[in-house]
């Protein structure tokens, strides 16, 4: 029976059982489609990374003897749309059965189900064989529970998969070393240069531009740094183990104006495109740790394992538990628009300037920049979560809706009413000052709450708490912040509010 097997751009899993044997009756299809480039405006590096990785994947499966077809973005026969693509291939290759791997995005899941229900032939969906958990495992785990605390899920995952465990005891006698993962970086240890493949992607950039795809952000076409094949992805993992792991946990939350990547792994694109599996990443890192315990401490490794075994699987589970309603949530009724400087990087706030310009230059910012600088500012200025979501979904190399949306709309913007975060991740400038060197060279003064030179984060923070105090009044975790708010005298509060409104109305001049 002639079968057509679809491979989406984020399903580049060479280890999948589909590729264990060659079968001349199976034909694989990959396509660069306008449907996927146009649902949001993407960073140029993100489009390049996906197309280049898809092209490399296609070459590898052909070399291994599989039958496959590939549609480049400018091919005249490219249908540019998933349904048309499937129908076109079925007819052209006299296909008798259609098969696909379960997509990670709700949008594509719905579309593929609908297409299959209308096909006049059998179709079958296969697991993508990537995650530790199934789509519904998190829902089952929390069944009947009100609070979906990540920590409980994470401990269960450690036990279930026997990762960093001594029998039933966690290695190091502690589940969580979060408290030792909060060092400020002051240049005390050198940071190795980020792994860069120096690839020349200029031809691909020309093709993307000729196709008329609208992108944003910057790219060095002769020096493309992201991994776009399994070999390169494995090289990034290897580099992380041998150069970065030993300080990963310590500086996980740090920010520094001269250091874009610090000790972060830059593995998210390789994993989200499935060139690497989370299991092999964790197994490699844990084995490396055991072989080098003399100089790598458990707190570095546990911090890393928690991000992937804990947060990454948890976020995916929340996505499938809560979609499609999640994408509409806006419990704080925020309605403002993103300022233009999110697209230009032109702002006098040093922390925002660094985080946004880095995002535009590298299609990357690390977790704390995304959460406590950019996301913090967006929440304090009460931007509509749809606007924030679109920006995050477009700008980051690793942004795919299943992982972007719960992180952005949920963890960062609290638009889900606390499904993920028990309190909003908002802070004044003092947190940014504590974790970075941004404030020392800023136009604004991190100690001031109002006045011309006051740090906008300070003004906006107290204003946000004041505006949302009714919503948060029953939240125990907000009690201390609201108590402090009550202690601000009315005259001072009046000045804060006038200033905050002025900032919100004129964000682009700050
Ligand atoms: P490292 O710091 O080296 O961490 C290792 C790995 O842990 C990452 O590669 C990633 O796979 C995983 N991880 C860490 N934190 C998370 C998390 N919160 N959720 C899921 N996985 C996590 N991650 C994405 O992959 N795609 C996104 O679109 C995305 N959007 C985000 C939006 C916001 C507002 C926030 C706060 C976080 C977002 N994250 C997202 C999570 C995290 O910021 C990135 O995974 C990380 O910065 C990627 O860089 P890295 O590979 O160097 O990570
Ligand atoms: Fe950011 Fe305020 Fe510090 Fe400036 S002073 S870098 S705006 S936190």
């Amino acid at each position: 029976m002639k079968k057509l097997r679809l491979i989406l751009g984020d399903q580049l899993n060479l280890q999948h059982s589909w590729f264990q044997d060659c079968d001349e009756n199976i034909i694989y299809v990959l396509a660069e489609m306008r449907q996927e480039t146009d649902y949001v405006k993407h960073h140029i590096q993100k489009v390049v990374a996906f197309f280049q990785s898809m092209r490399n994947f296609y070459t590898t499966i052909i070399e291994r003897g599989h039958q496959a077809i590939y549609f480049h973005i400018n091919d005249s026969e490219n249908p540019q749309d998933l349904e048309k693509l499937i129908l076109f291939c079925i007819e052209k290759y006299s296909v008798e059965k259609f098969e696909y791997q379960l997509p990670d995005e709700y949008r594509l899941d719905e579309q593929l189900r609908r297409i299959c229900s209308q096909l006049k032939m059998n179709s079958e969906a296969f697991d993508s064989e990537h995650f530790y958990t199934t789509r519904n495992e998190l829902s089952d785990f929390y069944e009947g529970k009100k609070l979906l605390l990540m920590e409980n899920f994470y401990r269960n995952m450690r036990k279930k998969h026997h990762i960093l465990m001594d029998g039933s005891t966690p290695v190091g006698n502690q589940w969580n070393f979060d408290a030792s993962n909060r060092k400020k970086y002051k240049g005390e240890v050198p940071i190795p240069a980020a792994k860069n493949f120096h690839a020349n992607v200029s031809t691909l950039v020309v093709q993307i531009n000729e196709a008329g795809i609208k992108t944003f952000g910057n790219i060095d076409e002769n020096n493309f740094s992201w991994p776009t094949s399994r070999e390169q992805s494995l090289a990034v993992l290897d580099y992380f183990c041998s150069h970065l792991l030993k300080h990963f946990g310590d500086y996980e939350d740090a920010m520094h104006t001269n250091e874009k990547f610090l000790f972060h792994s830059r593995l998210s694109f390789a994993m989200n495109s499935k060139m690497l599996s989370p299991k092999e990443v964790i197994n490699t890192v844990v084995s490396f740790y055991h072989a080098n315990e003399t100089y790598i401490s458990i707190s570095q490794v546990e911090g890393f394992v928690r991000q992937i075994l804990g947060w990454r699987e948890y976020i995916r589970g929340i996505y499938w538990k809560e979609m499609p309603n999640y994408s509409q949530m806006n419990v704080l009724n925020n309605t403002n628009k993103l300022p233009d400087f999110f697209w230009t990087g032109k702002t006098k706030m040093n922390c925002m300037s660094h985080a946004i310009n880095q995002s535009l230059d590298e299609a990357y910012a690390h977790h704390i920049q995304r959460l406590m600088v950019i996301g913090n500012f967006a929440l304090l200025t009460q931007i509509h979560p749809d606007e924030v979501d679109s920006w995050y979904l477009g700008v980051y190399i690793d942004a795919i809706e299943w992982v972007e949306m719960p992180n952005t709309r949920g963890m960062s913007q609290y638009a889900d009413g606390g499904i993920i975060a028990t309190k909003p991740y908002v802070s004044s400038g003092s947190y940014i000052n504590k974790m970075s060197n941004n404030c020392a060279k800023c136009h604004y003064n991190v100690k001031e709450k109002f006045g011309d030179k006051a740090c906008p984060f300070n003004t906006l923070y107290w204003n946000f708490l004041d505006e949302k105090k009714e919503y948060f009044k029953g939240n125990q975790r907000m009690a201390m912040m609201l108590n402090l708010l009550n202690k601000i005298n009315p005259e001072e509060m009046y000045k804060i509010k006038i200033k905050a409104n002025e900032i919100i109305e004129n964000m682009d001049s700050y």
Side-chain angles (χ1 to χ4, degrees):
M1 183 193 282
K2 195 106 187 160
K3 291 180 193 169
L4 178 71
R5 284 181 171 173
L6 173 72
I7 302 168
L8 296 169
D10 66 344
Q11 295 180 333
L12 310 180
N13 179 3
L14 279 172
Q15 315 292 93
H16 195 279
S17 52
W18 271 6
F19 305 108
Q20 299 319 304
D21 299 307
C22 294
D23 181 337
E24 60 183 22
N25 283 315
I26 295 176
I27 183 152
Y28 293 93
V29 60
L30 290 107
E32 300 167 2
M33 285 182 290
R34 292 305 292 263
Q35 161 177 330
E36 295 307 299
T37 57
D38 295 4
Y39 65 85
V40 73
K41 196 171 172 188
H42 300 279
H43 195 295
I44 178 70
Q45 292 193 38
K46 184 178 172 192
V47 182
V48 166
F50 272 104
F51 284 6
Q52 191 58 54
S53 305
M54 289 164 71
R55 291 178 186 194
N56 291 341
F57 183 89
Y58 166 75
T59 306
T60 308
I61 60 172
I62 290 286
E63 280 166 6
R64 291 188 183 178
H66 298 282
Q67 314 270 327
I69 33 173
Y70 194 95
F71 290 93
H72 295 87
I73 193 68
N74 288 327
D75 287 347
S76 56
E77 276 200 323
N78 186 335
Q80 307 287 356
D81 164 276
L82 193 52
E83 181 165 8
K84 289 186 191 141
L85 172 81
I86 294 166
L87 295 177
F88 176 88
C89 294
I90 286 177
E91 191 176 327
K92 182 157 182 179
Y93 299 99
S94 310
V95 167
E96 294 159 275
K97 187 181 177 204
F98 172 63
E99 298 182 341
Y100 66 99
Q101 295 178 21
L102 285 171
D104 292 323
E105 278 173 288
Y106 189 85
R107 163 184 77 86
L108 287 165
D109 197 54
E110 290 285 291
Q111 191 183 9
L112 279 162
R113 275 174 207 266
R114 187 183 48 73
I115 295 171
C116 290
S117 71
Q118 289 163 5
L119 287 180
K120 294 184 182 64
M121 67 180 61
N122 282 340
S123 56
E124 190 175 351
F126 289 71
D127 194 277
S128 63
E129 301 174 11
H130 173 80
F131 293 96
Y132 279 93
T133 46
T134 61
R135 277 184 185 175
N136 299 325
E137 202 168 320
L138 176 134
S139 295
D140 297 343
F141 177 74
Y142 287 115
E143 197 167 356
K145 303 258 171 18
K146 263 195 174 164
L147 273 182
L148 314 183
L149 287 179
M150 197 290 283
E151 187 64 24
N152 299 342
F153 171 82
Y154 168 58
R155 290 183 190 186
N156 183 58
M157 291 289 284
R158 290 268 298 275
K159 287 186 241 170
K160 181 171 173 190
H161 297 280
H162 204 76
I163 293 168
L164 292 179
M165 297 296 295
D166 267 341
S168 56
T169 315
V171 171
N173 291 315
Q174 237 173 276
W175 287 105
N176 188 315
F177 292 81
D178 220 4
S180 38
N181 296 161
R182 293 177 193 146
K183 266 195 184 171
K184 180 168 179 166
Y185 181 73
K186 296 179 187 156
E188 57 277 38
V189 278
I191 301 174
K195 183 91 186 151
N196 185 339
F197 296 97
H198 306 292
N200 183 326
V201 291
S202 45
T203 310
L204 179 49
V205 172
V206 169
Q207 289 168 1
I208 290 168
N209 290 335
E210 277 175 358
I213 296 169
K214 294 210 166 33
T215 61
F216 70 106
N218 307 316
I219 186 165
D220 181 349
E221 295 172 19
N222 300 312
N223 228 353
F224 193 65
S225 68
W226 294 101
T228 56
S229 67
R230 180 160 165 81
E231 288 71 32
Q232 292 186 345
S233 302
L234 286 167
V236 178
L237 175 57
D238 182 62
Y239 189 82
F240 173 69
C241 290
S242 46
H243 292 83
L244 305 167
L245 176 62
K246 65 182 168 195
H247 297 300
F248 174 84
D250 290 346
Y251 299 107
E252 213 178 324
D253 288 359
M255 294 176 280
H256 196 281
T257 47
N258 300 340
E259 300 294 342
K260 293 176 174 174
F261 309 111
L262 288 117
F263 295 93
H264 291 278
S265 69
R266 296 171 85 242
L267 280 166
S268 50
F269 175 71
M271 270 191 283
N272 294 355
S273 58
K274 302 190 180 60
M275 293 189 289
L276 289 186
S277 82
K279 289 177 201 166
E280 69 186 327
V281 170
I282 288 184
N283 290 344
T284 307
V285 166
V286 170
S287 302
F288 191 88
Y289 157 65
H290 285 309
N292 298 283
E293 281 183 42
T294 46
Y295 73 96
I296 301 178
S297 66
I298 178 69
S299 68
Q300 318 302 332
V301 185
E302 188 282 319
F304 186 77
V305 166
R306 188 179 344 127
Q307 303 310 314
I308 297 176
L309 187 68
W311 280 111
R312 190 169 186 267
E313 298 286 329
Y314 173 84
I315 287 288
R316 162 178 147 89
I318 295 282
Y319 180 77
W320 284 105
K321 181 173 180 303
E322 302 295 335
M323 282 297 279
N325 295 344
Y326 206 83
S327 62
Q328 308 296 320
M329 293 182 94
N330 181 9
V331 300
L332 297 175
N333 294 318
N334 290 335
T335 53
N336 289 329
K337 289 190 87 59
L338 274 184
D340 284 349
F341 71 72
F342 270 65
W343 311 94
T344 63
K346 287 191 181 125
T347 163
K348 296 194 284 276
M349 291 177 275
N350 204 27
C351 54
M352 287 294 279
S353 167
H354 270 276
I356 289 183
N357 279 304
Q358 174 183 325
S359 303
L360 296 173
D361 287 346
E362 309 290 344
Y364 178 92
H366 67 69
H367 185 77
I368 293 297
Q369 293 173 304
R370 296 187 204 195
L371 186 66
M372 297 310 296
V373 179
I374 305 174
N376 188 8
F377 183 84
L379 181 53
L380 292 178
T381 47
Q382 301 168 46
I383 310 282
H384 196 296
D386 286 355
E387 293 249 320
V388 190
D389 250 342
S390 306
W391 188 80
Y392 275 87
L393 189 56
V395 75
Y396 292 117
I397 193 89
D398 51 32
I400 306 180
E401 191 186 82
W402 68 267
V403 54
E404 175 280 323
M405 189 185 284
N407 269 305
T408 305
R409 191 171 280 260
M411 189 187 310
S412 151
Q413 298 302 294
Y414 202 82
D416 64 358
I419 294 174
I420 291 184
T422 47
K423 68 177 170 71
Y425 279 97
V426 282
S427 80
S428 64
S430 66
Y431 175 85
I432 295 170
N433 195 27
K434 189 172 128 210
M435 295 312 296
S436 78
N437 64 343
N438 278 293
C439 304
K441 288 201 178 144
C442 186
H443 171 84
Y444 297 105
N445 184 341
V446 72
K447 304 271 184 237
E448 290 180 19
K449 291 200 204 75
F450 45 83
D452 281 353
K453 286 284 174 122
C455 164
F457 280 83
N458 294 344
T459 324
L460 292 165
Y461 173 74
W462 294 111
N463 176 65
F464 174 86
L465 290 182
D466 188 60
E467 297 221 338
K468 308 294 179 188
K469 64 188 174 205
E470 270 307 299
Y471 183 88
F472 289 114
K473 72 179 177 208
N475 184 329
Q476 282 312 305
R477 297 207 62 209
M478 293 295 285
M480 201 175 85
M481 292 189 202
L482 295 179
N483 268 340
L484 290 172
L485 176 75
N486 279 337
K487 288 187 183 142
I488 300 181
N489 72 51
E491 208 177 303
E492 193 170 313
M493 198 62 219
Y494 177 76
K495 286 187 197 159
I496 289 173
K497 292 194 71 73
I498 298 277
K499 180 74 185 167
N501 283 331
E502 206 262 317
I503 298 173
I504 289 173
E505 275 165 26
N506 302 286
M507 282 188 252
D508 274 310
S509 48
Y510 275 83

